[in-house]
Amino acid sequence: MKDKVLSIISKYNMLPAGSSVLVALSGGADSMALLYIMLELKDTIGINRIEAAHFNHMIRGGEADRDEEFVKKLCKDLGVKFHAMRADVPGISAQTGEGHEECGRRLRYEFFEKCAPSEFKIATAHNLNDNAETMLINLIRGTGLKGLCGIPAVRGRIIRPLLSCSRMEIEEYCREKNISYVTDSTNLEEIYIRNKIRRHILPTLQEINESALQNIYAASQHNRLDEEFLENECRRVSAGIKKENPYGLSGGISISQLKTVQAALLTRFLKSEVKEECGIELSQRAAYTLSDIISTGAGRADIGRGYTASVRKGRLYIENYTEREVKSVNIDLCKGDFCYEGINIRIIDAKEIDNCKNVNKKFLNCLLDYDKINPNLILRQRKEGDKITLARRNVTKSLKKLFNEANIPPRLRSSVPVLAEDNGKVVWVAGFGADKSAIVDRSTKRVVVIELPTRENI
């Protein structure tokens, strides 16, 4: 096993000479073997310092406390600096809506990052079995290629020196070195998908082919190379699309241009853009739905978290207008910046936005010239008779007509923020921009910046 660990450390340059490492230490066979082999190889590969960190999820009661005391005593005996943290994962996950495993993983890695100085690498004990389990879980959930790339050997400063070793090899190493370890009783509970795969599926695969784990690992490496190539191609395609469609998905992207993109790259582009503009992970199913809309050049679909995709006049739009009504609130800009329910209105010097000339056009949609408007404003929803003259269209239209043209459903129109002067004149509408009379130009000295809680209107 020692040779395998040295080989993968060298292949991925995990621990350059003089590196320090924080070992994620649960107390199980895998992490115990990792700590001992790091200590064994310390002088060979020139490790400067080795420390250990233990995260208590507070799920298994007394057993979890036993594990913490076990690794704490071990580190004291070995002279290894020890870090520990306890967190009520069940309680926190109930508040956040995360599953126990997802919540625990997030908190665990946040803890590791916090207690490891910046020059440290963080070593986790993921192995061949973990890699195969992860790939199979993703496979039965209907993953794309990315989910079949397995566990990366290196991710940022996270390293996995045992990734090419099987659990059997790790347990054999513990026996040879007389290394004690604890067993997590939840690993035997078959209420977890991973445990069912660990106890039943992997042994069956190894009966069929004794090299199953190694072959699955090799497949993950091939997939990772393909994934990197496709991601690079996606970035190239994305740059071209963004150049021609600077407003992005909220401003509409040409359907004819999207139709020229190869299917595999199109779904990647859509996922990337939706995450960047809307902050949500687009499911594979939703990505395929968007692809179908693009293919037919018509339609509308919900893609999750309140976002809707639609095709209007040959362009694909993704927008989000919640059903929460905008309540009227008075604003006096003479008193300075304003904040209300996630909507921030700031006053800045025009020089801060490059003289209002070379900034992102979506950002320009949320700017007003302070000196062209009455500082006594009202933030509210649309009223009957409201109208606006958009500079880029140079035509006056009622908000009702604008919303109709934008296919905003009537039930959602009261959630679109509107800024009006106290005399009723509309100076700005979220998603459409400023009235012609209030736009910034080269003479602008002070700028009113409107920041909304969702990114599609920026």
Side-chain angles (χ1 to χ4, degrees), residues 124-161:
T124 68
H126 293 94
N127 55 55
L128 271 182
N129 296 63
D130 294 320
N131 184 73
E133 292 163 10
T134 296
M135 288 179 67
L136 289 171
I137 288 172
N138 291 340
L139 181 63
I140 62 179
R141 288 175 175 171
T143 185
L145 180 61
K146 188 173 184 178
L148 296 178
C149 291
I151 300 172
V154 176
R155 179 174 59 81
R157 61 176 179 149
I158 307 293
I159 61 172
R160 290 162 176 130

Side-chain angles (χ1 to χ4, degrees), residues 142 267 270-271 274 280-290 302-304:
T267 55
L270 293 170
K271 285 184 174 182
V274 168
I280 64 172
E281 295 283 351
L282 192 66
S283 70
Q284 194 69 26
R285 178 180 295 180
Y288 287 147
T289 298
L290 284 185
D302 293 329
I303 61 171

Side-chain angles (χ1 to χ4, degrees), residues 293-397:
I293 289 175
I294 292 167
S295 177
T296 59
R300 170 188 290 273
D302 293 329
I303 61 171
R305 296 269 299 274
Y307 286 84
T308 299
S310 62
V311 174
R312 306 191 298 272
K313 297 182 180 179
R315 302 182 74 81
L316 174 70
Y317 296 86
I318 292 183
E319 297 148 320
N320 180 20
Y321 296 99
T322 64
E323 293 191 52
R324 185 181 62 182
E325 293 187 352
V326 177
K327 297 178 181 178
S328 293
V329 56
N330 293 319
I331 303 169
D332 184 356
L333 293 183
C334 292
K335 295 181 179 179
D337 296 348
F338 168 84
C339 179
Y340 176 74
E341 293 191 355
I343 298 175
N344 298 308
I345 300 179
R346 299 183 294 118
I347 303 168
I348 64 173
D349 190 282
K351 294 179 181 178
E352 295 184 41
I353 53 170
D354 296 326
N355 296 319
C356 310
K357 184 177 180 182
N358 297 317
V359 295
N360 186 297
K361 290 184 179 179
K362 287 185 289 183
F363 181 59
L364 286 174
N365 278 346
C366 283
L367 302 181
L368 300 171
D369 187 320
Y370 177 85
D371 297 302
K372 292 179 181 177
I373 62 174
N374 184 332
N376 293 309
L377 299 171
I378 301 174
L379 176 68
R380 58 172 173 79
Q381 58 184 263
R382 179 186 70 90
K383 289 183 178 180
E384 193 65 36
D386 278 346
K387 57 186 178 181
I388 190 170
T389 304
L390 297 176
R392 63 178 182 269
R393 303 186 188 185
N394 199 29
V395 61
T396 302
K397 289 188 177 182

